Amino acid sequence: MARFAVLASGSGSNFQAIAASRHESSLLVCDRKAAPVLERAAKLGVEALYVKYPGRERAEAEAEITAALEARGVELVILAGYMRLFTEGFVERWKGRMLNIHPALLPAWPGTDSIRRSFEAGDERFGITIHEVDRGMDTGPVVLQRSFRKEPGEPLESVEARVHALEHIWYPRIAAGFLDEIEGGRRA
Ligand code: GRF
């Protein structure tokens, strides 16, 4: 079975949705010692690796990540709320093998706090984007978008919950599709 690693910095609800849906061995990489995603990994019995960034070059932290992934035969990197940009070298190493999810319909609302900014701007349509990763922030070829229309008077909290529900449905499916293609030799 093709193996994957999830890179996450925060709550880890997407990590959980993916890890719970796949049985082959996976790995969590996290750059924050206090991130709740680490507790989720412990509960699911998924190996977790903390990677330190402060006080060293970003490329050094990335080299540690790539070495850990290669040692475990990881073939797909799944970013799920990983709050770091990568060097060109890391992006090239994992080109076509690295996915990200964003809680907005890119290219609209890249960056952080997208749902709230979109809501406050008066948008009526919300959604998610799953895309391959290139050097930009929330750029790269789009794999899938799903959207919905906000109900009249619907509060921000409800819109946020619907966006996250879409993420938890679609990210495991797209990851599974990539893993199957890699395993079957159908992805270069
Ligand atoms: C998600 O909304 C994802 O789209 C964005 O960061 C958030 C991560 O949430 N990139 P979680 O840590 O998976 O709960």
Side-chain angles (χ1 to χ4, degrees), residues 30-138:
C30 182
D31 63 328
R32 273 185 50 224
K33 271 192 177 149
V37 68
L38 289 167
E39 280 167 38
R40 294 191 198 252
K43 281 194 187 132
L44 284 162
V46 173
E47 183 190 3
L49 177 72
Y50 164 72
V51 177
K52 175 177 170 289
Y53 277 73
R56 63 175 174 170
E57 293 290 323
R58 189 164 37 144
E60 222 179 292
E62 292 173 352
E64 189 182 324
I65 296 171
T66 293
L69 269 46
E70 286 174 348
R72 290 160 181 81
V74 166
E75 294 184 271
L76 182 68
V77 177
I78 301 172
L79 305 181
Y82 196 61
M83 304 302 280
R84 302 270 175 188
L85 286 177
F86 298 107
T87 64
E88 198 169 350
F90 190 83
V91 171
E92 273 305 309
R93 166 62 186 84
W94 295 102
K95 198 172 176 188
R97 298 291 176 99
M98 181 151 59
L99 294 172
N100 184 40
I101 189 162
H102 187 74
L105 297 166
L106 293 171
W109 309 111
T112 58
D113 223 1
S114 308
I115 308 173
R116 188 188 54 74
R117 287 186 292 123
S118 165
F119 186 93
E120 287 176 358
D123 286 355
E124 297 204 336
R125 190 155 279 282
F126 294 81
I128 62 166
T129 304
I130 296 171
H131 64 96
E132 292 185 26
V133 176
D134 64 11
R135 276 213 74 189
M137 185 176 59
D138 300 323

